[in-house]
Amino acid sequence: MTNQFGSANLAVSFPSPYTIVLADQGLQPLLGYSPEELRGHSLQILEGQKTDYKLLCLAIEQAAHNRPSTVSIVLYDRFGQPRCIACSCSPLCGPTGVPDACLLALDESEVASLADAISEAPCAKALVSADPSHTIQLVNGRFSAMFGILPAQSVGRPLLA
């Protein structure tokens, strides 16, 4: 897919409620917000009915432990319209080398349609990264039931943990 709206970066502080401390100009075309409008707000300002906020929080917490991850998430623009977003969460380290914020790289994505396809599959499905860590990126309900683990507990973890 050609990325019609571009990409954006924002940084949130640790711990929850994940206050937005930095944002770039890419937010305007992507979600309709200027960086100034979002700074100081909780990340929940972008949450809506279809947002898996627990999954997003898990990805941010992974970054707090120096484990970057990418999740497919639905965020809402300033007009209340859902946007399918690939969200890459990476640690932002201070002078001591300890993560003190999380960088969220946001890109409009068709991944949510893949998420729908996986969630509607008649058998257990998981999307696993091909990089050496083999991180679980997405699972469906049948996968969760088969292995007795919630999606928020499996996403972001290595397959062979």
Side-chain angles (χ1 to χ4, degrees), residues 55-67:
L55 179 64
L56 183 57
C57 291
L58 177 66
I60 293 169
E61 285 303 314
Q62 292 288 323
H65 295 92
N66 276 318
R67 292 188 297 254

Side-chain angles (χ1 to χ4, degrees), residues 18-72:
Y18 309 119
T19 301
I20 299 168
V21 293
L22 294 172
D24 70 13
Q25 295 298 325
L27 286 167
Q28 187 72 45
L30 185 66
L31 297 172
Y33 290 100
S34 71
E36 296 78 23
E37 290 176 288
L38 290 180
R39 274 190 224 117
H41 286 277
S42 163
L43 191 57
Q44 288 180 309
I45 193 171
L46 303 176
E47 180 182 12
Q49 181 180 357
K50 294 182 180 179
T51 304
D52 186 345
Y53 197 69
K54 288 182 182 180
L55 179 64
L56 183 57
C57 291
L58 177 66
I60 293 169
E61 285 303 314
Q62 292 288 323
H65 295 92
N66 276 318
R67 292 188 297 254
S69 62
T70 302
V71 295
S72 174

Side-chain angles (χ1 to χ4, degrees), residues 13-158:
S13 62
F14 297 127
S16 181
Y18 309 119
T19 301
I20 299 168
V21 293
L22 294 172
D24 70 13
Q25 295 298 325
L27 286 167
Q28 187 72 45
L30 185 66
L31 297 172
Y33 290 100
S34 71
E36 296 78 23
E37 290 176 288
L38 290 180
R39 274 190 224 117
H41 286 277
S42 163
L43 191 57
Q44 288 180 309
I45 193 171
L46 303 176
E47 180 182 12
Q49 181 180 357
K50 294 182 180 179
T51 304
D52 186 345
Y53 197 69
K54 288 182 182 180
L55 179 64
L56 183 57
C57 291
L58 177 66
I60 293 169
E61 285 303 314
Q62 292 288 323
H65 295 92
N66 276 318
R67 292 188 297 254
S69 62
T70 302
V71 295
S72 174
I73 194 93
V74 176
L75 297 177
Y76 285 75
D77 67 18
R78 76 173 302 119
F79 307 106
Q81 296 302 307
R83 299 273 187 205
C84 300
I85 303 291
C87 177
S88 297
C89 298
S90 304
L92 283 176
C93 297
T96 62
V98 175
D100 51 45
C102 177
L103 174 66
L104 284 74
L106 309 175
D107 289 293
E108 186 181 33
S109 170
E110 284 187 23
V111 175
S113 63
L114 175 61
D116 291 341
I118 288 175
S119 70
E120 295 168 8
C123 58
K125 296 275 183 178
L127 179 64
V128 179
S129 69
D131 64 17
S133 67
H134 303 297
T135 305
I136 298 171
Q137 302 293 317
L138 183 68
V139 299
N140 68 3
R142 287 179 175 81
F143 179 94
S144 295
M146 178 181 279
F147 293 99
I149 186 168
L150 297 172
Q153 295 170 316
S154 57
V155 172
R157 300 180 86 174

